[in-house]
Amino acid sequence: MYDLRDKVAIITGGASGIGLATVEAFLDKGAKVVLSDYNAEEGQKHADRLSDKGDVVFIKADVSDEEEVRSLVEQTVERFGSLNVIFNNAGIGAQGATHELTYEDYHKVIKINQDGVFFGNKYAVQQMKKNGGGVIINCASILGIVGEPTAYAYNASKGAVVLMTKSLALQYAKDNIRCAAVAPGYVESGMVNKEALGEYYDHLVDKHPVGRLGVPDEIAHAVIFIAENEFLTGITLPVDGGYTSQ
């Protein structure tokens, strides 16, 4: 198993939800963590709060901007000396009728969810080849596996992440770089909860055979599993309460 103690990990979208839970999970494993997010205030607040758990720093980055992602990796290496793991988690959701979707709104989703993963993959590989290996974990979604009528752009972006992950795993296995994806179901968060969604919340719960939504810690645990298992690469792991088994 891949020992995460003293390994250097970047978590994008790390200031909330799944990303924040994953930051804490890596710290619990003894890793050195870069918490990266577009929201500087929340990101720095959580990095400061978690500093007593281990070595964690905040670096602001917009994953849709290639230069900011390149700088994120460079700053990480300057701070810690290497990069061993990256979790390309940052993303946004979008719902609506496709015939009313503007190109600008469609491309906003693609830039963050798909281009952001490309940039993270590209610059992580460059550094990991120097290290002699590493682990790249991409955040896909159940909606990268199955369709959703009103999530055209999101489906497109997350479906791309699934196959980008396979391509990267095959291309860099010889360099001792593993790449896999996690595909969360609907997860309780600041925007996905009973109070925010009302009756639609119950509709989402009904889609999950286990009878509830996930929680961020459950997705973070899956990310740790992927990182630690050295015989695992190229897969997309659904953590979805049975959603995609139907």
Side-chain angles (χ1 to χ4, degrees), residues 2-131:
Y2 191 64
D3 188 353
L4 294 174
R5 286 175 298 180
D6 295 322
K7 296 297 191 298
V8 180
I10 292 174
I11 315 296
T12 68
S16 62
I18 292 169
L20 182 57
T22 306
V23 169
E24 297 197 44
F26 272 86
L27 287 171
D28 288 342
K29 287 288 184 175
K32 300 173 182 179
V33 180
V34 172
L35 187 167
S36 183
D37 202 280
Y38 183 74
N39 187 327
E41 181 178 352
E42 286 297 301
Q44 190 63 61
K45 179 184 77 175
H46 287 298
D48 292 343
R49 176 179 63 83
L50 295 170
S51 61
D52 62 343
K53 295 189 69 170
D55 205 341
V56 54
V57 297
F58 170 71
I59 299 176
K60 182 179 184 295
D62 175 358
V63 299
S64 70
D65 185 314
E66 181 170 6
E67 285 305 301
E68 291 200 20
V69 177
R70 179 190 58 77
S71 177
L72 168 62
V73 172
E74 287 183 352
Q75 290 181 69
T76 297
V77 175
E78 287 171 6
R79 173 68 173 81
F80 291 118
S82 64
L83 173 62
N84 306 108
V85 182
I86 187 168
F87 179 36
N88 293 301
N89 166 69
I92 60 171
Q95 295 276 340
T98 303
H99 71 281
E100 297 173 347
L101 182 64
T102 66
Y103 176 76
E104 289 73 22
D105 287 341
Y106 171 80
H107 199 59
K108 179 180 179 181
V109 175
I110 297 300
K111 280 182 65 66
I112 295 173
N113 294 1
Q114 183 176 338
D115 292 356
V117 168
F118 163 57
F119 299 145
N121 289 175
K122 175 181 176 178
Y123 290 103
V125 165
Q126 289 181 9
Q127 181 58 41
M128 289 174 181
K129 284 170 69 71
K130 298 175 185 177
N131 295 349

